[in-house]
Amino acid sequence: MDFMMSGLAACGACLFTNPLEVVKTRMQLQGELQAPGSYQRHYRNVFHAFITIGKVDGLAALQKGLAPALLYQFLMNGIRLGTYGMAEAGGYLHTAEGTLSPVRSAAAGAMAGVMGAYLGSPIYMVKTHLQAQAASEIAVGHQYKHQIFPPQSWKVALAAAMVSGIAVVLAMTPFDVASTRLYNQPTDTRGKGLMYRGMLDTLLQTARTEGIFGMYKGIGASYFRLGPHTILSLFFWDQLRVLYYKYTK
């Protein structure tokens, strides 16, 4: 669960910060191995870069490389924070006397960081290639022509559903947990719940007794269910609509 929560938290932040990552990547590649003043500056500053990219490449270009960026954040931060959390929970960061050891904490943090960065490096490379892609008039650095999925592929819809699913499960899981517990609680002879009085009471009791993580139980299953469920629902809806019009005309 430490791995899952750490990774999903980083993905949630990435949804909002990826445009800045696109701007940063292009500004870092601008003027690569060229003397100052000898090249055209397409991006004068952060704000100018935002405007230029949005105007020339379109607003969607500000989220280029989002899929590998999310995967990178999930993998790197899941491993980094999850591994450190496991070391802390296992008591490896404390001395025999029970006090926190700064040396052990630093060593565990460094090892976890190295593992996350090493395993995430190939994905980071793909992300950088995609974020550097631009129209010829504002292109900087080498232009790789990667294409993750072919146009109109079901994989595009699945990736979009999985990306948007991060925000959905983060917002909805507490209510889903509460709803599950409300439906599953024992009742008296009149059908009145014996554990919870309603949705708000369920949320408050859960948070007070089990902590904030208690409100996110099952978030992994919810997330990995959401994408396929969305795609399959749309697929069956589309097929049923085709059959309906075929046999009613």
Side-chain angles (χ1 to χ4, degrees), residues 28-42:
Q28 288 176 339
L29 291 172
Q30 183 171 241
E32 184 177 9
L33 296 180
Q34 299 179 63
S38 65
Y39 59 89
Q40 182 181 0
R41 290 183 64 193
H42 299 300

Side-chain angles (χ1 to χ4, degrees), residues 84-155:
Y84 186 85
M86 288 178 63
E88 185 178 26
Y92 298 112
L93 307 185
H94 295 79
T95 63
E97 292 76 25
T99 58
L100 183 66
S101 170
V103 175
R104 293 187 180 186
S105 296
M111 185 175 295
V114 167
M115 287 175 58
Y118 179 78
L119 294 174
S121 181
I123 305 168
Y124 193 93
M125 182 181 71
V126 175
K127 174 191 74 70
T128 302
H129 289 180
L130 292 173
Q131 290 175 339
Q133 288 178 354
S136 57
E137 59 265 38
I138 60 169
V140 292
H142 185 74
Q143 294 291 291
Y144 287 92
K145 300 301 179 184
H146 295 307
Q147 187 178 53
I148 298 180
F149 304 125
Q152 306 304 319
S153 169
W154 63 269
K155 296 177 183 177

Side-chain angles (χ1 to χ4, degrees), residues 15-33:
L15 284 171
F16 298 96
T17 60
N18 191 62
L20 285 166
E21 186 77 10
V22 172
V23 169
K24 182 209 77 171
T25 297
R26 297 198 184 183
M27 293 188 75
Q28 288 176 339
L29 291 172
Q30 183 171 241
E32 184 177 9
L33 296 180

Side-chain angles (χ1 to χ4, degrees), residues 42-114:
H42 299 300
Y43 313 110
R44 293 194 295 269
N45 53 54
V46 174
F47 303 107
H48 181 255
F50 266 106
I51 295 171
T52 302
I53 294 170
K55 185 183 298 183
V56 179
D57 285 341
L59 291 177
L62 290 167
Q63 285 288 16
K64 278 196 172 183
L66 181 60
L70 289 169
L71 182 58
Y72 171 75
Q73 290 293 334
F74 184 84
L75 183 63
M76 186 192 71
N77 286 288
I79 292 173
R80 186 179 61 180
L81 300 179
T83 302
Y84 186 85
M86 288 178 63
E88 185 178 26
Y92 298 112
L93 307 185
H94 295 79
T95 63
E97 292 76 25
T99 58
L100 183 66
S101 170
V103 175
R104 293 187 180 186
S105 296
M111 185 175 295
V114 167

Side-chain angles (χ1 to χ4, degrees), residues 70 156-167 223-231:
L70 289 169
V156 176
L158 178 60
M162 296 306 287
V163 169
S164 62
I166 295 170
Y223 174 71
F224 288 111
R225 164 198 168 274
L226 184 63
H229 178 82
T230 303
I231 298 303

